[in-house]
Amino acid sequence: MITSKIIANGILRALAVILIIAVVLYFLYEIQTVIVYLCISLILCLIANPLVLFLKNKLKFGNSLAATTTIILFIFLIVGFILLFVPLIISQANNLSLLDTAHLQAQFIQTEQSIEQYFNIQHVDLNKVIKDSKLTSMLDFSYFTGFINSIISFMADMGMGLVSVFFITFFFIKDQEIFKAQARRILPDTNEDKILNSITKINHLLTRYFIGLLLQLTVVFILYLIVLMIFGNKNAFVIAFLCAILNVIPYIGPIIGTILAALLTMISLIGQDFQSQILPTTIYVVIGFLLVQAIDNNISQPIISSKSVNSHPLEIFLITLISGITFGIVGMIIAVPLFTMIKVILKEFFPENKIVSTLTERI
Protein backbone atom coordinates (compact mmCIF):
# COMPACT_ATOMS: atom_id res chain seq x y z
CA MET A 1 0.00 0.00 0.00
CA ILE A 2 1.35 3.39 -1.02
CA THR A 3 1.35 5.75 1.91
CA SER A 4 1.96 9.46 2.12
CA LYS A 5 5.34 8.73 3.71
CA ILE A 6 6.46 6.65 0.70
CA ILE A 7 5.31 9.39 -1.70
CA ALA A 8 7.13 12.04 0.32
CA ASN A 9 10.32 9.95 0.33
CA GLY A 10 10.03 9.48 -3.43
CA ILE A 11 9.62 13.21 -3.97
CA LEU A 12 12.59 13.94 -1.73
CA ARG A 13 14.76 11.43 -3.59
CA ALA A 14 13.74 12.93 -6.93
CA LEU A 15 14.53 16.43 -5.69
CA ALA A 16 17.89 15.20 -4.37
CA VAL A 17 18.74 13.66 -7.76
CA ILE A 18 17.75 16.87 -9.57
CA LEU A 19 19.83 18.91 -7.13
CA ILE A 20 22.87 16.67 -7.59
CA ILE A 21 22.54 16.87 -11.39
CA ALA A 22 22.24 20.66 -11.22
CA VAL A 23 25.33 20.90 -9.00
CA VAL A 24 27.31 18.64 -11.34
CA LEU A 25 26.27 20.66 -14.40
CA TYR A 26 27.15 23.91 -12.66
CA PHE A 27 30.52 22.47 -11.63
CA LEU A 28 31.22 21.37 -15.23
CA TYR A 29 30.26 24.85 -16.43
CA GLU A 30 32.67 26.45 -13.98
CA ILE A 31 35.56 24.22 -15.08
CA GLN A 32 34.78 24.42 -18.78
CA THR A 33 38.26 25.80 -19.48
CA VAL A 34 39.83 22.71 -17.92
CA ILE A 35 37.52 20.50 -19.98
CA VAL A 36 38.65 22.31 -23.14
CA TYR A 37 42.29 21.74 -22.14
CA LEU A 38 41.57 18.06 -21.63
CA CYS A 39 39.86 17.75 -25.02
CA ILE A 40 42.71 19.52 -26.83
CA SER A 41 45.27 17.36 -25.01
CA LEU A 42 43.36 14.23 -25.97
CA ILE A 43 43.32 15.31 -29.63
CA LEU A 44 47.07 16.00 -29.54
CA CYS A 45 47.59 12.61 -27.93
CA LEU A 46 45.62 10.91 -30.71
CA ILE A 47 47.55 12.79 -33.39
CA ALA A 48 50.85 11.90 -31.71
CA ASN A 49 50.07 8.20 -31.32
CA PRO A 50 51.75 7.06 -34.58
CA LEU A 51 54.91 8.99 -33.68
CA VAL A 52 54.89 7.63 -30.11
CA LEU A 53 54.51 4.06 -31.37
CA PHE A 54 57.38 4.61 -33.81
CA LEU A 55 59.62 5.95 -31.05
CA LYS A 56 58.75 3.06 -28.72
CA ASN A 57 58.80 0.19 -31.22
CA LYS A 58 61.49 1.23 -33.69
CA LEU A 59 63.82 3.39 -31.60
CA LYS A 60 63.13 1.59 -28.30
CA PHE A 61 62.34 4.81 -26.39
CA GLY A 62 60.84 4.54 -22.92
CA ASN A 63 57.46 6.08 -22.11
CA SER A 64 58.94 9.23 -20.55
CA LEU A 65 61.48 9.80 -23.34
CA ALA A 66 58.89 9.20 -26.07
CA ALA A 67 56.45 11.61 -24.40
CA THR A 68 59.16 14.24 -23.88
CA THR A 69 60.35 13.96 -27.49
CA THR A 70 56.79 14.33 -28.78
CA ILE A 71 56.09 17.41 -26.65
CA ILE A 72 59.37 19.01 -27.72
CA LEU A 73 58.42 18.38 -31.34
CA PHE A 74 55.04 20.07 -30.79
CA ILE A 75 56.79 23.05 -29.18
CA PHE A 76 59.25 23.32 -32.08
CA LEU A 77 56.35 23.27 -34.55
CA ILE A 78 54.56 26.10 -32.70
CA VAL A 79 57.76 28.15 -32.39
CA GLY A 80 58.47 27.55 -36.06
CA PHE A 81 55.01 28.81 -37.04
CA ILE A 82 55.46 31.88 -34.85
CA LEU A 83 58.89 32.66 -36.33
CA LEU A 84 57.46 32.11 -39.79
CA PHE A 85 54.36 34.24 -39.31
CA VAL A 86 55.67 37.19 -37.31
CA PRO A 87 57.51 38.77 -40.29
CA LEU A 88 54.55 38.04 -42.56
CA ILE A 89 52.05 39.52 -40.10
CA ILE A 90 54.21 42.63 -39.71
CA SER A 91 54.39 42.94 -43.49
CA GLN A 92 50.62 42.49 -43.74
CA ALA A 93 50.11 45.14 -41.07
CA ASN A 94 52.32 47.56 -42.98
CA ASN A 95 50.52 46.84 -46.23
CA LEU A 96 47.17 47.46 -44.60
CA SER A 97 48.48 50.55 -42.79
CA LEU A 98 47.13 49.19 -39.52
CA LEU A 99 49.44 51.51 -37.60
CA ASP A 100 48.18 54.59 -39.44
CA THR A 101 44.46 54.89 -38.83
CA ALA A 102 44.17 58.07 -40.88
CA HIS A 103 45.77 56.41 -43.88
CA LEU A 104 43.62 53.32 -43.38
CA GLN A 105 40.47 55.46 -43.33
CA ALA A 106 41.59 57.23 -46.51
CA GLN A 107 42.16 53.87 -48.19
CA PHE A 108 38.67 52.66 -47.28
CA ILE A 109 37.14 55.90 -48.52
CA GLN A 110 39.09 55.57 -51.76
CA THR A 111 37.88 52.00 -52.18
CA GLU A 112 34.29 53.03 -51.47
CA GLN A 113 34.52 55.84 -54.04
CA SER A 114 36.00 53.45 -56.60
CA ILE A 115 33.14 50.99 -56.06
CA GLU A 116 30.50 53.73 -56.34
CA GLN A 117 32.16 55.13 -59.45
CA TYR A 118 32.25 51.69 -61.05
CA PHE A 119 28.55 51.02 -60.40
CA ASN A 120 27.60 54.52 -61.60
CA ILE A 121 29.36 53.77 -64.89
CA GLN A 122 27.31 50.58 -65.11
CA HIS A 123 24.14 52.67 -64.50
CA VAL A 124 23.46 50.98 -61.17
CA ASP A 125 22.30 53.14 -58.25
CA LEU A 126 24.30 51.47 -55.49
CA ASN A 127 22.78 53.58 -52.69
CA LYS A 128 19.28 52.62 -53.81
CA VAL A 129 20.22 48.93 -53.96
CA ILE A 130 21.64 49.04 -50.42
CA LYS A 131 18.61 50.96 -49.13
CA ASP A 132 16.12 48.57 -50.77
CA SER A 133 17.96 45.52 -49.42
CA LYS A 134 17.91 47.00 -45.87
CA LEU A 135 21.51 45.81 -45.53
CA THR A 136 22.57 48.57 -43.16
CA SER A 137 19.81 47.69 -40.70
CA MET A 138 21.14 44.13 -40.52
CA LEU A 139 24.71 45.19 -39.75
CA ASP A 140 25.71 45.41 -36.11
CA PHE A 141 29.22 46.80 -35.79
CA SER A 142 29.29 45.93 -32.09
CA TYR A 143 30.03 42.38 -33.21
CA PHE A 144 33.31 43.61 -34.69
CA THR A 145 34.34 45.24 -31.41
CA GLY A 146 33.41 42.11 -29.50
CA PHE A 147 35.39 40.01 -31.96
CA ILE A 148 38.52 42.14 -31.48
CA ASN A 149 38.15 41.97 -27.69
CA SER A 150 37.78 38.20 -27.91
CA ILE A 151 41.00 37.94 -29.91
CA ILE A 152 42.89 40.06 -27.36
CA SER A 153 41.53 37.98 -24.49
CA PHE A 154 42.40 34.79 -26.34
CA MET A 155 45.98 35.92 -26.93
CA ALA A 156 46.32 36.87 -23.25
CA ASP A 157 45.28 33.36 -22.17
CA MET A 158 47.31 31.59 -24.86
CA GLY A 159 50.48 31.23 -22.78
CA MET A 160 48.78 29.65 -19.79
CA GLY A 161 46.66 27.50 -22.06
CA LEU A 162 49.66 26.12 -23.98
CA VAL A 163 51.53 25.26 -20.78
CA SER A 164 48.48 23.49 -19.37
CA VAL A 165 47.75 21.61 -22.58
CA PHE A 166 51.34 20.41 -23.01
CA PHE A 167 51.54 19.36 -19.35
CA ILE A 168 48.34 17.31 -19.65
CA THR A 169 49.35 15.89 -23.04
CA PHE A 170 52.71 14.75 -21.65
CA PHE A 171 51.04 12.56 -19.02
CA PHE A 172 48.35 11.36 -21.46
CA ILE A 173 51.15 10.07 -23.72
CA LYS A 174 53.47 8.85 -20.96
CA ASP A 175 50.93 7.01 -18.80
CA GLN A 176 48.53 5.59 -21.40
CA GLU A 177 49.11 2.03 -20.22
CA ILE A 178 48.71 3.02 -16.57
CA PHE A 179 45.38 4.71 -17.33
CA LYS A 180 44.21 1.57 -19.14
CA ALA A 181 45.23 -0.64 -16.21
CA GLN A 182 43.41 1.61 -13.73
CA ALA A 183 40.34 1.65 -15.94
CA ARG A 184 40.42 -2.14 -16.04
CA ARG A 185 40.21 -2.23 -12.23
CA ILE A 186 37.31 0.21 -12.07
CA LEU A 187 35.18 -1.23 -14.88
CA PRO A 188 32.57 -3.87 -14.08
CA ASP A 189 33.74 -7.38 -14.98
CA THR A 190 30.70 -8.15 -17.13
CA ASN A 191 31.36 -5.33 -19.64
CA GLU A 192 35.10 -4.83 -19.12
CA ASP A 193 36.20 -6.36 -22.42
CA LYS A 194 33.53 -4.55 -24.41
CA ILE A 195 34.43 -1.17 -22.93
CA LEU A 196 38.17 -1.67 -23.41
CA ASN A 197 37.65 -2.85 -27.01
CA SER A 198 35.50 0.23 -27.66
CA ILE A 199 38.19 2.52 -26.26
CA THR A 200 40.88 0.83 -28.39
CA LYS A 201 38.83 1.10 -31.60
CA ILE A 202 37.81 4.70 -30.88
CA ASN A 203 41.43 5.60 -30.21
CA HIS A 204 42.50 4.01 -33.50
CA LEU A 205 39.75 5.57 -35.63
CA LEU A 206 40.01 9.07 -34.14
CA THR A 207 43.79 9.00 -34.57
CA ARG A 208 43.24 8.27 -38.26
CA TYR A 209 40.53 10.95 -38.44
CA PHE A 210 42.64 13.77 -37.01
CA ILE A 211 45.63 12.81 -39.13
CA GLY A 212 43.31 12.75 -42.15
CA LEU A 213 41.98 16.17 -41.17
CA LEU A 214 45.51 17.57 -41.04
CA LEU A 215 46.17 16.07 -44.48
CA GLN A 216 42.99 17.63 -45.86
CA LEU A 217 43.85 21.07 -44.47
CA THR A 218 47.34 20.77 -45.93
CA VAL A 219 45.93 19.99 -49.38
CA VAL A 220 43.50 22.93 -49.16
CA PHE A 221 46.27 25.25 -47.95
CA ILE A 222 48.53 24.33 -50.88
CA LEU A 223 45.72 24.84 -53.41
CA TYR A 224 44.75 28.20 -51.87
CA LEU A 225 48.41 29.25 -51.90
CA ILE A 226 48.74 28.36 -55.59
CA VAL A 227 45.63 30.41 -56.46
CA LEU A 228 46.84 33.48 -54.56
CA MET A 229 50.38 33.24 -55.95
CA ILE A 230 49.07 32.98 -59.52
CA PHE A 231 47.41 36.38 -59.10
CA GLY A 232 50.43 37.90 -57.38
CA ASN A 233 49.06 38.37 -53.87
CA LYS A 234 51.93 39.57 -51.69
CA ASN A 235 50.48 37.96 -48.56
CA ALA A 236 49.50 34.66 -50.15
CA PHE A 237 50.94 32.48 -47.39
CA VAL A 238 49.12 34.18 -44.51
CA ILE A 239 45.78 34.38 -46.34
CA ALA A 240 46.00 30.77 -47.53
CA PHE A 241 46.83 29.55 -44.02
CA LEU A 242 43.95 31.46 -42.37
CA CYS A 243 41.45 30.28 -44.97
CA ALA A 244 42.67 26.67 -44.68
CA ILE A 245 42.21 26.76 -40.89
CA LEU A 246 38.64 27.96 -41.40
CA ASN A 247 38.00 24.73 -43.33
CA VAL A 248 37.84 22.99 -39.94
CA ILE A 249 34.25 24.28 -39.90
CA PRO A 250 32.47 22.12 -42.50
CA TYR A 251 30.66 23.91 -45.34
CA ILE A 252 30.45 27.30 -43.56
CA GLY A 253 34.20 27.71 -42.99
CA PRO A 254 35.12 27.70 -46.70
CA ILE A 255 32.51 30.40 -47.40
CA ILE A 256 33.94 32.60 -44.65
CA GLY A 257 37.43 31.90 -45.98
CA THR A 258 36.46 32.97 -49.49
CA ILE A 259 34.95 36.23 -48.23
CA LEU A 260 38.06 36.87 -46.12
CA ALA A 261 40.35 36.19 -49.07
CA ALA A 262 38.33 38.54 -51.29
CA LEU A 263 38.45 41.37 -48.73
CA LEU A 264 42.19 40.98 -48.03
CA THR A 265 42.93 40.79 -51.75
CA MET A 266 40.91 43.92 -52.42
CA ILE A 267 42.57 45.83 -49.58
CA SER A 268 46.06 44.74 -50.64
CA LEU A 269 45.44 46.22 -54.10
CA ILE A 270 44.26 49.62 -52.84
CA GLY A 271 45.87 52.38 -54.87
CA GLN A 272 45.42 50.59 -58.20
CA ASP A 273 42.61 51.16 -60.65
CA PHE A 274 39.43 49.57 -59.30
CA GLN A 275 37.80 48.60 -62.59
CA SER A 276 40.83 47.23 -64.40
CA GLN A 277 42.90 45.84 -61.49
CA ILE A 278 41.16 45.44 -58.12
CA LEU A 279 37.78 44.08 -59.22
CA PRO A 280 39.04 41.55 -61.84
CA THR A 281 41.78 40.21 -59.55
CA THR A 282 39.34 39.81 -56.65
CA ILE A 283 36.85 38.00 -58.89
CA TYR A 284 39.58 35.66 -60.18
CA VAL A 285 40.66 34.87 -56.60
CA VAL A 286 37.07 34.11 -55.59
CA ILE A 287 36.63 31.84 -58.62
CA GLY A 288 39.90 30.09 -57.77
CA PHE A 289 38.80 29.56 -54.17
CA LEU A 290 35.45 28.19 -55.33
CA LEU A 291 37.28 25.70 -57.57
CA VAL A 292 39.45 24.63 -54.63
CA GLN A 293 36.34 24.16 -52.50
CA ALA A 294 34.72 22.09 -55.27
CA ILE A 295 37.80 19.84 -55.35
CA ASP A 296 37.86 19.61 -51.55
CA ASN A 297 34.12 18.99 -51.10
CA ASN A 298 33.83 16.40 -53.86
CA ILE A 299 37.21 14.65 -53.79
CA SER A 300 39.62 15.16 -50.90
CA GLN A 301 37.19 15.70 -47.98
CA PRO A 302 34.83 12.74 -48.65
CA ILE A 303 37.70 10.37 -49.40
CA ILE A 304 39.89 11.37 -46.46
CA SER A 305 37.04 11.61 -43.93
CA SER A 306 35.30 8.40 -45.00
CA LYS A 307 38.51 6.40 -45.21
CA SER A 308 39.83 7.62 -41.87
CA VAL A 309 36.70 6.68 -39.89
CA ASN A 310 35.42 3.91 -42.20
CA SER A 311 32.12 5.67 -42.91
CA HIS A 312 30.30 6.32 -46.18
CA PRO A 313 30.65 9.91 -47.50
CA LEU A 314 26.86 10.28 -47.43
CA GLU A 315 26.89 9.38 -43.73
CA ILE A 316 29.52 12.05 -43.10
CA PHE A 317 27.48 14.67 -44.98
CA LEU A 318 24.16 13.86 -43.29
CA ILE A 319 25.52 13.67 -39.74
CA THR A 320 27.40 16.95 -40.24
CA LEU A 321 24.29 18.63 -41.64
CA ILE A 322 22.05 17.38 -38.82
CA SER A 323 24.58 18.38 -36.15
CA GLY A 324 24.95 21.82 -37.72
CA ILE A 325 21.20 22.40 -37.74
CA THR A 326 20.86 21.16 -34.16
CA PHE A 327 23.97 22.49 -32.41
CA GLY A 328 25.42 25.08 -34.79
CA ILE A 329 29.08 25.42 -35.74
CA VAL A 330 30.37 23.51 -32.70
CA GLY A 331 28.09 20.62 -33.62
CA MET A 332 29.46 20.56 -37.17
CA ILE A 333 33.04 20.42 -35.90
CA ILE A 334 32.49 17.56 -33.44
CA ALA A 335 29.94 15.66 -35.56
CA VAL A 336 32.27 13.13 -37.20
CA PRO A 337 34.34 12.23 -34.08
CA LEU A 338 31.21 11.91 -31.93
CA PHE A 339 29.38 9.86 -34.58
CA THR A 340 32.39 7.54 -34.85
CA MET A 341 32.47 7.01 -31.08
CA ILE A 342 28.74 6.21 -30.99
CA LYS A 343 29.08 3.71 -33.85
CA VAL A 344 31.94 1.89 -32.16
CA ILE A 345 30.07 1.65 -28.84
CA LEU A 346 26.87 0.45 -30.53
CA LYS A 347 28.74 -2.24 -32.47
CA GLU A 348 30.52 -3.47 -29.37
CA PHE A 349 27.40 -3.66 -27.18
CA PHE A 350 24.65 -4.43 -29.75
CA PRO A 351 26.35 -6.40 -32.54
CA GLU A 352 23.25 -8.53 -33.24
CA ASN A 353 20.94 -5.59 -33.88
CA LYS A 354 20.21 -5.37 -37.63
CA ILE A 355 20.27 -1.55 -37.77
CA VAL A 356 23.52 -1.39 -35.81
CA SER A 357 25.16 -4.12 -37.89
CA THR A 358 24.18 -2.28 -41.09
CA LEU A 359 25.53 1.08 -39.91
CA THR A 360 28.74 -0.38 -38.52
CA GLU A 361 29.60 -3.04 -41.09
CA ARG A 362 32.67 -1.06 -42.24
CA ILE A 363 34.12 -0.66 -38.75
Side-chain angles (χ1 to χ4, degrees), residues 29-256:
Y29 174 78
E30 289 295 319
I31 64 167
Q32 57 182 308
T33 302
V34 177
I35 295 175
V36 171
Y37 290 164
L38 289 171
C39 292
I40 295 174
S41 299
L42 180 59
I43 292 172
L44 290 178
C45 183
L46 293 172
I47 294 173
N49 263 341
L51 174 62
V52 174
L53 292 176
F54 173 80
L55 293 175
K56 289 182 179 180
N57 297 334
K58 300 296 182 181
L59 302 182
K60 306 302 179 183
F61 281 20
N63 289 336
S64 298
L65 184 56
T68 303
T69 303
T70 304
I71 295 300
I72 290 175
L73 179 60
F74 278 136
I75 293 174
F76 278 156
L77 287 175
I78 292 177
V79 172
F81 271 117
I82 292 174
L83 294 177
L84 179 65
F85 274 89
V86 166
L88 292 171
I89 292 173
I90 292 175
S91 174
Q92 179 75 4
N94 291 332
N95 288 335
L96 298 179
S97 302
L98 292 178
L99 301 179
D100 186 351
T101 55
H103 187 201
L104 180 63
Q105 182 179 7
Q107 286 180 319
F108 275 117
I109 292 174
Q110 182 180 349
T111 303
E112 180 185 1
Q113 292 174 347
S114 299
I115 294 173
E116 291 181 356
Q117 182 180 0
Y118 171 77
F119 279 100
N120 288 334
I121 293 175
Q122 302 299 321
H123 304 291
V124 176
D125 190 344
L126 188 60
N127 291 326
K128 185 176 184 301
V129 172
I130 294 175
K131 182 177 180 181
D132 292 342
S133 64
K134 299 180 180 178
L135 182 62
T136 54
S137 63
M138 294 185 290
L139 294 176
D140 186 354
F141 291 99
S142 63
Y143 285 114
F144 179 76
T145 304
F147 178 70
I148 296 298
N149 291 334
S150 298
I151 292 178
I152 295 173
S153 177
F154 173 78
M155 294 301 294
D157 296 335
M158 179 67 75
M160 183 61 187
L162 284 176
V163 172
S164 302
V165 166
F166 283 141
F167 184 80
I168 297 170
T169 304
F170 173 80
F171 286 102
F172 274 0
I173 296 173
K174 174 180 174 292
D175 297 329
Q176 286 186 66
E177 298 303 324
I178 296 177
F179 292 151
K180 289 179 182 178
Q182 291 176 344
R184 192 182 295 273
R185 295 176 185 174
I186 298 173
L187 297 175
D189 295 335
T190 54
N191 294 319
E192 179 181 322
D193 291 337
K194 292 181 180 180
I195 295 174
L196 291 177
N197 287 338
S198 297
I199 293 173
T200 301
K201 290 180 181 179
I202 289 171
N203 181 45
H204 173 67
L205 289 174
L206 291 187
T207 298
R208 292 176 55 182
Y209 171 74
F210 287 114
I211 293 175
L213 181 62
L214 288 176
L215 178 60
Q216 178 197 344
L217 296 182
T218 302
V219 171
V220 171
F221 164 71
I222 293 173
L223 293 176
Y224 281 162
L225 183 62
I226 292 173
V227 170
L228 293 168
M229 291 180 67
I230 287 175
F231 298 106
N233 195 302
K234 298 178 182 179
N235 305 288
F237 193 96
V238 174
I239 298 174
F241 181 81
L242 292 175
C243 294
I245 293 298
L246 286 170
N247 267 51
V248 172
I249 308 173
Y251 309 113
I252 296 177
I255 297 174
I256 299 174

Side-chain angles (χ1 to χ4, degrees), residues 77 148 183 203 247 254 283 285 288 299 303 312 320 354:
L77 287 175
I148 296 298
N203 181 45
N247 267 51
I283 291 175
V285 167
I299 300 176
I303 292 176
H312 193 278
T320 303
K354 292 183 179 180

Side-chain angles (χ1 to χ4, degrees), residues 245-317:
I245 293 298
L246 286 170
N247 267 51
V248 172
I249 308 173
Y251 309 113
I252 296 177
I255 297 174
I256 299 174
T258 302
I259 296 173
L260 177 64
L263 290 175
L264 292 177
T265 299
M266 185 176 293
I267 292 174
S268 67
L269 295 174
I270 288 176
Q272 301 184 28
D273 181 69
F274 181 81
Q275 185 170 353
S276 62
Q277 296 291 331
I278 298 178
L279 184 61
T281 303
T282 304
I283 291 175
Y284 294 148
V285 167
V286 170
I287 293 174
F289 270 52
L290 292 177
L291 290 175
V292 171
Q293 290 167 22
I295 294 172
D296 179 54
N297 292 334
N298 294 285
I299 300 176
S300 60
Q301 182 178 354
I303 292 176
I304 293 174
S305 296
S306 61
K307 293 294 182 183
S308 61
V309 295
N310 294 335
S311 296
H312 193 278
L314 183 59
E315 284 183 81
I316 300 294
F317 173 78

